[in-house]
Every structure is written in structure tokens, then in C-alpha cells.
Amino acid sequence: MIEIRKATEADQGAIWEIIHRVLQGGDTYSFAPESTREQMMAYWFAPGKHTYVALYDCKIAGTFAICDNQPGLGSHVANGAFMVSALFAGKGIGKAMGGFSLTEARRLGYKAMQFNFVVKSNERAVKLWQSLGFNIVGEVPDAFNHRQLGLTNTYVMYQKL
Amino acid sequence: MIEIRKATEADQGAIWEIIHRVLQGGDTYSFAPESTREQMMAYWFAPGKHTYVALYDCKIAGTFAICDNQPGLGSHVANGAFMVSALFAGKGIGKAMGGFSLTEARRLGYKAMQFNFVVKSNERAVKLWQSLGFNIVGEVPDAFNHRQLGLTNTYVMYQKL
């Protein structure tokens, strides 16, 4: 069973395990693989961020954070960042977190959700976001230095809420 | 005559005058019009930022800042932000700063420059960037809450260096 709730400080160890593993891959996020726990916790729990964990059978299987995509006159658009533990791949954690985040962003008053940096070669993520209603509204050439592929494109993805 | 040099702490008063006036317009930047000097100086002179001023006949007429557009695996792409004093409009300050910034970004080792949030209705800026070689690679619906126009689109603009 999947449960989603706000993250607490007590979750930081499990969250860091997930983030650290994802960044080690060097294939989905721009944060350097050598990013430290302190750096990433400061980012993931930054002021103004709404941070959550997804539990699968009571174990932390994924985490995501919602925040303003821009300050002030752009703050009606949410940004989201999502990571799933490789140990829980294929169990629908990403889809559950994505769906939850859209409802939650609407509840928080956001009018849209935007991702600025979806790595094009991360086809599973692109398809997941499309299945949840996101459209590709931009493509930036060579924006991501993929560990295996070298410089690869990224998408800007978006949907109204 | 236009001169461009690195900004120093002594320039902050003049830089704030420019930024404050631009933000008051509520028509080009996402920072709230009520942003404070402290907030904006922290942003404009943030660690890792390369900050410059343009002088017209020895008076500070514009300012811009270059930084990594993303951390780590996206840090080969520069981001830039540019503001010109209304007192010096139409004198080619924006074009001079834009051209300088491309040369400077190349010198700093960046492989491309990207703007994430060019307000579509700011036609002068869009045309300027196009004239300097930028392409529109994305368009986000209703991303900017324009003071006069309400919700308006923004462009993602990009060029290789």
C-alpha cells in the first residue's frame, strides 16, 4: 500500500539515501553526483518548499518537493522535483507522487505546474508526466551532461491546474 | 561612450536604483515590485554570479549578471539577467551588454546561454535577443502575472556559444 505524507526531519536519512542513489546515476538530475547530504537537504527542505515522502508498505520509497517556480509575479506556477528509490521501481510510486502533487499544488493555490529540466533521454519520466497531463512546451539542446550519453537535450514540461 | 566592467560593492546604490525602477514596472521580471534592496542585492551579487555594470558617459546605465543556469551536470550553460535604466533607453546599452555577455560567458567556459523567463509581451527584449542570435526554444503559457496584461506567456531563449 502506498501512503503519502509531509516529510519530517526524522525522514532525512531515508530521503538522503534515495537522493544520493539517484544522483549517483548522473542520468536524470543536474545536481552533481558528488553533492553532499548537507547541500541536498538544504535544497530539498529549503524555506518555501513543501516536501513529502511516499511510503510503500510503511517504508520510504520516494520523495518529492513542490515550490514556487519563480518569485513574485511568477509564483502562481509550481515547480516539482520527484525521486523514487530504485528498490521500489515499477511499483507505481512515481505515478502516485505525481498525481498527489497535482492535487496538492491546486490545494496550495497554484495555477499550473512546470518542470524546467526533464532529461529527454529519461523516457520513463517523460512518459509518466505525459500520462499525468503534462505537455512538452520547450526543448533545450545539450542542456544536460549525461553520464553515459554526454550532452543531451532537456524538456520544459507544463500543465494548467 | 559605453564602457562595461565588473560591478563592485560601491556600485550597489546605482544598481539598486535601476533594479527598483525596472521591478516597479511589473512588466518584465518575476521579482515582486515590492522586493527590497537587501533581497535584490543578495540575488544580483549571489555567490557564483558574475556581475557587471555598463556605463554611458561614465554614468551607470545598466547592469547584468551571468551565472550557471543549473548546478552540476547543467552548469555548462550560462544564465543571464539584464536591466537598463529608463534614463538611458534607446542608447544601445542592452545590445552592448548582451553582446559583451556572450563573449564573457564563452571566456568563462560556458557552452551556451539560456534565458528561462523572457516575457513574451516584452517585444523589445525578445527582438534584441533574437538579433544577438538567441532562438525561442520554449513557450510557457500564462507564466507571468503582468501588471497591465494579467497572465501572459514567457519564452525560453537559447543560443550555443
Side-chain angles (χ1 to χ4, degrees), chain A residues 119-140:
Chain A
V119 175
K120 183 179 182 175
S121 62
N122 188 4
E123 289 175 18
R124 202 159 65 172
V126 174
K127 273 186 195 146
L128 171 60
W129 299 130
Q130 287 175 321
S131 78
L132 285 169
F134 284 84
N135 295 304
I136 295 167
V137 297
E139 179 170 353
V140 184

CSV table of all heavy atoms in Angstrom, one decimal, chain A residues 119-140:
chain,number,residue,atom,x,y,z
A,119,VAL,N,15.1,15.5,-18.3
A,119,VAL,CA,16.1,15.0,-19.3
A,119,VAL,C,15.4,14.1,-20.3
A,119,VAL,O,14.7,13.2,-20.0
A,119,VAL,CB,17.2,14.2,-18.5
A,119,VAL,CG1,18.1,13.5,-19.5
A,119,VAL,CG2,17.9,15.1,-17.5
A,120,LYS,N,15.6,14.5,-21.6
A,120,LYS,CA,14.8,13.9,-22.7
A,120,LYS,C,15.1,12.4,-22.8
A,120,LYS,O,14.1,11.6,-23.1
A,120,LYS,CB,15.3,14.5,-24.0
A,120,LYS,CG,14.5,14.0,-25.2
A,120,LYS,CD,15.0,14.8,-26.5
A,120,LYS,CE,14.2,14.3,-27.7
A,120,LYS,NZ,14.5,15.1,-28.9
A,121,SER,N,16.3,11.9,-22.5
A,121,SER,CA,16.6,10.5,-22.6
A,121,SER,C,15.9,9.7,-21.4
A,121,SER,O,15.9,8.5,-21.5
A,121,SER,CB,18.1,10.3,-22.6
A,121,SER,OG,18.7,10.8,-21.4
A,122,ASN,N,15.4,10.4,-20.4
A,122,ASN,CA,14.7,9.7,-19.3
A,122,ASN,C,13.3,9.5,-19.7
A,122,ASN,O,12.3,10.1,-19.2
A,122,ASN,CB,14.8,10.6,-18.1
A,122,ASN,CG,14.3,9.9,-16.8
A,122,ASN,OD1,13.9,8.8,-16.8
A,122,ASN,ND2,14.2,10.7,-15.7
A,123,GLU,N,13.2,8.5,-20.7
A,123,GLU,CA,11.9,8.3,-21.4
A,123,GLU,C,10.8,7.9,-20.4
A,123,GLU,O,9.6,8.3,-20.6
A,123,GLU,CB,12.0,7.3,-22.5
A,123,GLU,CG,12.8,7.9,-23.6
A,123,GLU,CD,13.1,6.8,-24.7
A,123,GLU,OE1,12.4,5.8,-24.7
A,123,GLU,OE2,14.0,7.0,-25.5
A,124,ARG,N,11.2,7.2,-19.4
A,124,ARG,CA,10.1,6.7,-18.4
A,124,ARG,C,9.5,7.9,-17.7
A,124,ARG,O,8.3,8.0,-17.6
A,124,ARG,CB,10.8,5.8,-17.4
A,124,ARG,CG,9.8,4.9,-16.7
A,124,ARG,CD,10.4,3.7,-16.1
A,124,ARG,NE,11.3,4.1,-15.0
A,124,ARG,CZ,11.9,3.2,-14.2
A,124,ARG,NH1,11.7,1.9,-14.4
A,124,ARG,NH2,12.7,3.6,-13.3
A,125,ALA,N,10.3,8.9,-17.3
A,125,ALA,CA,9.8,10.1,-16.7
A,125,ALA,C,9.0,10.9,-17.7
A,125,ALA,O,7.9,11.4,-17.3
A,125,ALA,CB,11.0,10.9,-16.1
A,126,VAL,N,9.5,11.1,-18.9
A,126,VAL,CA,8.7,11.9,-19.9
A,126,VAL,C,7.3,11.3,-20.1
A,126,VAL,O,6.3,12.0,-20.1
A,126,VAL,CB,9.5,12.0,-21.2
A,126,VAL,CG1,8.7,12.7,-22.3
A,126,VAL,CG2,10.8,12.7,-21.0
A,127,LYS,N,7.3,10.0,-20.2
A,127,LYS,CA,6.0,9.3,-20.5
A,127,LYS,C,5.1,9.4,-19.3
A,127,LYS,O,3.9,9.6,-19.4
A,127,LYS,CB,6.3,7.8,-20.8
A,127,LYS,CG,6.5,7.6,-22.3
A,127,LYS,CD,6.6,6.1,-22.7
A,127,LYS,CE,7.2,6.0,-24.1
A,127,LYS,NZ,8.0,4.9,-24.3
A,128,LEU,N,5.7,9.2,-18.1
A,128,LEU,CA,4.9,9.4,-16.9
A,128,LEU,C,4.2,10.7,-16.8
A,128,LEU,O,3.0,10.9,-16.6
A,128,LEU,CB,5.8,9.1,-15.6
A,128,LEU,CG,5.1,9.5,-14.3
A,128,LEU,CD1,3.9,8.6,-14.0
A,128,LEU,CD2,6.1,9.3,-13.1
A,129,TRP,N,5.0,11.8,-17.0
A,129,TRP,CA,4.5,13.1,-16.9
A,129,TRP,C,3.4,13.4,-18.0
A,129,TRP,O,2.4,14.0,-17.8
A,129,TRP,CB,5.6,14.2,-17.0
A,129,TRP,CG,6.6,14.1,-15.9
A,129,TRP,CD1,7.9,14.0,-15.9
A,129,TRP,CD2,6.2,13.9,-14.5
A,129,TRP,NE1,8.5,13.9,-14.7
A,129,TRP,CE2,7.4,13.8,-13.7
A,129,TRP,CE3,5.0,13.9,-13.7
A,129,TRP,CZ2,7.5,13.7,-12.4
A,129,TRP,CZ3,5.1,13.8,-12.3
A,129,TRP,CH2,6.3,13.6,-11.7
A,130,GLN,N,3.7,12.8,-19.2
A,130,GLN,CA,2.6,13.0,-20.2
A,130,GLN,C,1.4,12.3,-19.8
A,130,GLN,O,0.3,12.8,-20.0
A,130,GLN,CB,3.2,12.5,-21.6
A,130,GLN,CG,4.2,13.4,-22.2
A,130,GLN,CD,4.9,12.9,-23.4
A,130,GLN,OE1,5.2,11.7,-23.5
A,130,GLN,NE2,5.1,13.8,-24.4
A,131,SER,N,1.5,11.1,-19.2
A,131,SER,CA,0.3,10.3,-18.8
A,131,SER,C,-0.5,11.1,-17.7
A,131,SER,O,-1.7,10.9,-17.6
A,131,SER,CB,0.7,8.9,-18.4
A,131,SER,OG,1.2,9.0,-17.0
A,132,LEU,N,0.2,11.9,-17.0
A,132,LEU,CA,-0.4,12.7,-16.0
A,132,LEU,C,-0.9,14.1,-16.5
A,132,LEU,O,-1.3,14.9,-15.7
A,132,LEU,CB,0.5,12.9,-14.8
A,132,LEU,CG,0.7,11.6,-13.9
A,132,LEU,CD1,1.8,11.8,-12.9
A,132,LEU,CD2,-0.6,11.3,-13.2
A,133,GLY,N,-0.8,14.3,-17.8
A,133,GLY,CA,-1.4,15.5,-18.3
A,133,GLY,C,-0.4,16.6,-18.7
A,133,GLY,O,-0.8,17.7,-19.2
A,134,PHE,N,0.9,16.4,-18.5
A,134,PHE,CA,1.9,17.4,-18.8
A,134,PHE,C,2.2,17.4,-20.3
A,134,PHE,O,2.2,16.4,-21.0
A,134,PHE,CB,3.2,17.1,-18.1
A,134,PHE,CG,3.2,17.5,-16.7
A,134,PHE,CD1,2.7,16.6,-15.7
A,134,PHE,CD2,3.7,18.7,-16.2
A,134,PHE,CE1,2.7,17.0,-14.4
A,134,PHE,CE2,3.6,19.1,-14.9
A,134,PHE,CZ,3.1,18.2,-14.0
A,135,ASN,N,2.4,18.6,-20.9
A,135,ASN,CA,2.8,18.8,-22.2
A,135,ASN,C,4.3,19.3,-22.3
A,135,ASN,O,4.7,20.0,-21.4
A,135,ASN,CB,1.9,19.8,-22.9
A,135,ASN,CG,0.5,19.4,-23.0
A,135,ASN,OD1,0.2,18.3,-23.5
A,135,ASN,ND2,-0.4,20.1,-22.4
A,136,ILE,N,4.9,18.9,-23.4
A,136,ILE,CA,6.3,19.5,-23.6
A,136,ILE,C,6.1,20.8,-24.3
A,136,ILE,O,5.5,21.0,-25.3
A,136,ILE,CB,7.1,18.5,-24.6
A,136,ILE,CG1,7.3,17.2,-23.9
A,136,ILE,CG2,8.4,19.2,-25.0
A,136,ILE,CD1,7.8,16.1,-24.9
A,137,VAL,N,6.6,21.9,-23.6
A,137,VAL,CA,6.4,23.2,-24.1
A,137,VAL,C,7.7,23.9,-24.5
A,137,VAL,O,7.8,25.0,-25.0
A,137,VAL,CB,5.7,24.2,-23.1
A,137,VAL,CG1,4.3,23.7,-22.8
A,137,VAL,CG2,6.5,24.3,-21.8
A,138,GLY,N,8.8,23.1,-24.3
A,138,GLY,CA,10.1,23.6,-24.8
A,138,GLY,C,11.1,22.5,-24.8
A,138,GLY,O,11.0,21.5,-24.1
A,139,GLU,N,12.2,22.7,-25.6
A,139,GLU,CA,13.3,21.7,-25.6
A,139,GLU,C,14.6,22.4,-25.8
A,139,GLU,O,14.8,23.2,-26.7
A,139,GLU,CB,13.1,20.7,-26.8
A,139,GLU,CG,14.2,19.7,-26.9
A,139,GLU,CD,13.9,18.6,-27.9
A,139,GLU,OE1,12.8,18.5,-28.5
A,139,GLU,OE2,14.8,17.8,-28.2
A,140,VAL,N,15.5,22.2,-24.8
A,140,VAL,CA,16.8,22.9,-24.8
A,140,VAL,C,17.9,22.0,-25.2
A,140,VAL,O,18.0,20.9,-24.7
A,140,VAL,CB,17.1,23.5,-23.4
A,140,VAL,CG1,18.3,24.3,-23.4
A,140,VAL,CG2,15.9,24.3,-22.9
